[in-house]
């Protein structure tokens, strides 16, 4: 005795099978095109995904790599299911598997294409992913128009919606939210010790302790550090200085390393550089919660004409979660005919020590679809001060990235402390 089920679910399945049998079968050419699109998608997503999974600079980046590899694997299953759905029909649900896989491929290709169109440099990657996006979307539509048996339409629709939300959320977090959050900058401290007279009484030393502390949760790579001491002579006026004198001082504030601010009685002369040096190795990492300290000693003759010393310390860094700096090569020097850009040749009374390195993007898609970038760090020093500056250059173009891109995309940060002043009158008066 057979029991015939008249439940709504079984009736709906019979109706779906009847409708599926009435739909036209696609041609072998369509199957070949769909397979080609899916195979290329598998190769590209697996390539990007594996590189991100093993080498992305953040956890979110590695999660994106895992998602791309999962989509590549799903697309592989979809290609196999599409072949069965077209030819042998051994599996009842191969059609719905092919449909979901082609939809996932279309969505992922769309997001990758959006990233490449926004930031990519190579036209062929842009063209490829536009074609893959259109091709995988057409593949999903072509599969949908065939005899696809959807066992539970509401569950499948919910799965599609959830997959879309997760993919878009992950893309937005990786490319939009994360770079703008968790801003952190290490702190540089400078402490001047007590001046000490050296043996023989003809010179004296001033010890200076420098410390950098990373209180945030992101690591930093050191592009360059500088410490310099400026010596100044200070004369006192017997009466208040004129308004014109004050105005003249204020116009010089832009060159704060050489000139002092407005003073009522003090008449400052331009500072003279007496000591300059890096205080931390180039390329060293400062990890979260890490500290680094150094001591610098400045020495001057006892009969110096200067009245006070002013100290400055700074560090130029790049965030590890936004970019990665490859090992710096040996330094070049402008006085040894180093190749420099035109704007640098126009500088007067300054010499430069130059470091250069390739800078890596924080994800595989950008690293493979953008031209290489090189970061150049200029250690500049002259008679009236020291400075560090960096540029990021696009390979093969001679074009520098805007400062906004240098800071926001590649995470370059500048930390300074100073001026810290100390008088020399006490040590000069010692016998």
């Amino acid at each position: 005795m057979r029991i015939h089920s008249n439940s709504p679910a079984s009736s709906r399945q019979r109706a779906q099978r009847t409708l599926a049998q009435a739909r036209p079968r696609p041609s072998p050419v369509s199957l070949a095109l769909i397979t080609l699109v899916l195979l290329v998608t598998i190769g590209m997503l697996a390539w990007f995904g594996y590189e991100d999974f093993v080498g992305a600079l953040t956890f979110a980046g590695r999660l994106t790599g895992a998602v791309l590899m999962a989509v590549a694997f799903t697309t592989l299953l979809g290609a196999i299911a599409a072949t069965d759905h077209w030819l042998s029909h051994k599996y009842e649900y191969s059609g719905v598997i092919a449909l979901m896989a082609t939809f996932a491929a279309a969505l992922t290709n769309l997001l990758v294409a959006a990233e490449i169109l926004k930031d990519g440099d190579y036209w062929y990657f842009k063209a490829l992913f536009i074609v893959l996006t259109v091709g995988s979307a057409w593949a999903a539509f072509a599969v949908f128009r065939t005899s696809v048996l959807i066992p539970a339409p509401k569950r499948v629709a919910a799965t599609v919606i959830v997959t879309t939300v997760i993919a878009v959320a992950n893309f937005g977090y990786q490319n939009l939210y994360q770079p703008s959050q968790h801003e952190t900058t290490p702190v540089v401290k400078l402490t001047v010790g007590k001046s000490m007279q050296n043996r023989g009484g003809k010179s004296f030393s001033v010890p200076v302790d420098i410390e950098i502390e990373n209180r945030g949760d992101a690591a930093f790579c050191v592009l360059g550090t500088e410490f310099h001491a400026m010596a100044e002579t200070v004369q006192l006026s017997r009466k208040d200085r004129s308004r014109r004198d004050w105005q003249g001082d204020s116009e010089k504030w832009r060159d704060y390393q050489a000139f002092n601010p407005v003073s009522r009685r003090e008449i400052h002369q331009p500072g003279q550089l007496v000591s300059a040096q890096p205080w931390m190795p180039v390329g060293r990492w400062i990890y979260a919660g890490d500290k680094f300290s150094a001591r610098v000693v400045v020495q001057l003759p006892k009969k110096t004409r200067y009245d006070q010393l002013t100290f400055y310390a700074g560090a130029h860094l790049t965030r590890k979660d936004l970019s990665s700096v490859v090992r710096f090569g040996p330094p070049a020097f402008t006085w040894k005919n180093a190749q420099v850009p035109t704007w640098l040749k126009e500088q007067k009374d300054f010499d430069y020590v130059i470091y250069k390195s390739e800078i890596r993007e924080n994800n595989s898609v950008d690293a493979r679809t953008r031209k290489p970038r090189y970061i150049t760090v200029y250690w500049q020093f002259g008679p009236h001060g020291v400075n560090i500056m960096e540029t990021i250059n696009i390979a093969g173009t001679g074009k520098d990235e805007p400062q906004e891109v240098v800071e926001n995309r590649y995470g370059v940060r500048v930390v300074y402390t100073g001026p810290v002043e100390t008088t020399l009158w006490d040590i000069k008066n010692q016998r």
Side-chain angles (χ1 to χ4, degrees):
M1 179 177 180
R2 293 185 179 181
I3 300 176
H4 297 279
S5 174
N6 294 320
S7 66
S10 60
S11 300
R12 182 169 58 250
Q13 291 177 355
R14 287 196 299 271
Q16 287 179 343
R17 291 191 182 95
T18 302
L19 179 61
Q21 293 172 357
R23 289 176 179 172
R25 293 287 180 181
S27 66
V29 176
S30 298
L31 174 61
L33 291 176
I34 290 175
T35 303
L36 177 62
V37 169
L38 295 184
L39 289 178
V40 176
T41 296
I42 292 167
M44 296 303 299
L45 296 185
W47 180 34
F48 290 152
Y50 176 76
E51 288 193 344
D52 270 345
F53 184 71
V54 299
L57 301 180
T58 63
F59 173 77
R62 301 203 175 201
L63 179 61
T64 299
V67 171
L68 291 177
M69 288 195 296
V71 173
F73 179 74
T74 302
T75 306
L76 176 62
L77 295 180
I80 297 173
T83 303
D84 176 79
H85 181 62
W86 252 255
L87 302 177
S88 60
H89 305 285
K90 290 183 179 180
Y91 301 100
E92 183 178 8
Y93 298 120
S94 60
V96 71
I97 294 175
L99 177 62
M100 296 182 67
T102 52
F103 174 80
L107 176 62
T108 307
N109 284 330
L110 176 63
L111 295 178
V112 174
E115 173 71 10
I116 297 175
L117 290 173
K118 179 172 71 76
D119 294 324
D121 293 324
Y122 298 114
W123 66 268
Y124 46 84
F125 274 112
K126 297 179 181 180
L128 174 61
F129 272 91
I130 290 175
V131 171
L132 289 179
T133 301
V134 175
S136 51
W138 168 80
F141 179 72
V143 173
F144 177 75
R145 293 186 67 241
T146 63
S147 52
V148 176
L149 177 63
I150 302 177
K154 292 184 179 180
R155 293 181 181 179
V156 172
T159 302
V160 170
I161 293 173
V162 171
T163 302
T164 303
V165 171
I166 292 175
V168 173
N170 180 74
F171 178 82
Y173 179 83
Q174 170 73 6
N175 295 277
L176 301 176
Y177 176 80
Q178 189 183 32
S180 63
Q181 299 298 314
H182 306 296
E183 181 57 49
T184 178
T185 304
V187 177
V188 175
K189 300 177 182 179
L190 189 153
T191 305
V192 181
K194 183 179 179 181
S195 301
M196 298 175 290
Q197 185 170 281
N198 296 336
R199 181 177 297 179
K202 294 183 178 181
S203 64
F204 64 93
S205 301
V206 182
V208 181
D209 292 316
I210 309 170
E211 181 182 85
I212 185 169
E213 180 182 2
N214 184 4
R215 301 175 180 175
D217 55 3
F220 288 83
C221 179
V222 177
L223 302 178
T225 59
E226 57 85 10
F227 162 83
H228 69 277
M230 305 294 293
E232 301 168 354
T233 58
V234 183
Q235 299 176 359
L236 293 178
S237 174
R238 294 183 178 181
K239 59 181 181 180
D240 288 350
R241 303 171 67 216
S242 68
R243 182 177 182 182
R244 180 176 297 178
D245 292 335
W246 288 23
Q247 292 172 344
D249 285 348
S250 65
E251 292 173 1
K252 300 173 183 176
W253 281 354
R254 63 183 180 275
D255 192 5
Y256 74 97
Q257 294 178 334
F259 295 93
N260 284 70
V262 170
S263 179
R264 185 171 183 174
R265 290 290 182 95
E266 295 176 348
I267 305 174
H268 288 266
Q269 301 298 319
Q272 298 291 321
L273 180 66
V274 295
S275 179
Q277 67 182 78
W279 50 273
M280 195 172 184
V282 174
R284 186 189 189 278
W285 288 102
I286 308 174
Y287 296 98
D290 196 8
K291 290 183 180 180
F292 181 88
S293 59
R295 167 165 284 196
V296 178
V297 178
V298 178
Q299 299 190 57
L300 288 173
K302 184 74 174 293
K303 294 183 179 180
T304 180
R305 62 186 178 88
Y306 301 117
D307 299 313
Q308 67 182 37
L309 287 177
T310 305
F311 302 102
Y312 302 83
H316 287 233
L317 316 164
T318 182
R319 286 181 54 158
K320 186 181 179 182
D321 58 340
L322 296 183
S323 62
S324 177
V325 178
V326 184
R327 184 184 301 274
F328 281 96
F333 309 94
T334 53
W335 58 89
K336 289 188 175 181
N337 300 320
Q339 293 184 352
V340 296
T342 303
W343 62 266
L344 195 62
K345 296 178 181 178
E346 299 173 352
Q347 299 287 328
K348 297 180 180 180
D349 299 327
F350 279 98
D351 293 310
Y352 292 83
V353 179
I354 304 172
Y355 297 89
K356 191 172 184 179
S357 168
E358 185 175 354
I359 188 167
R360 180 182 177 274
E361 304 284 346
N362 70 344
N363 66 85
S364 177
V365 174
D366 287 342
R368 293 297 182 180
T369 63
R370 288 167 60 83
K371 294 180 179 179
R373 264 64 172 173
Y374 293 90
I375 185 166
T376 306
V377 181
Y378 300 94
W379 215 90
Q380 171 202 58
F381 59 96
H384 298 296
V386 168
N387 193 18
I388 291 179
M389 51 187 158
E390 62 285 314
T391 61
I392 294 180
N393 182 270
I394 304 173
T397 66
K399 180 182 178 182
D400 290 337
E401 294 278 21
Q403 188 62 30
E404 180 181 1
V405 174
V406 171
E407 295 177 2
N408 295 336
R409 182 180 185 86
Y410 295 99
V412 174
R413 299 291 183 266
V414 180
V415 185
Y416 272 115
T417 186
V420 176
E421 297 182 343
T422 182
T423 180
L424 300 179
W425 293 335
D426 54 345
I427 192 71
K428 290 170 66 176
N429 290 333
Q430 289 182 10
R431 294 184 180 180

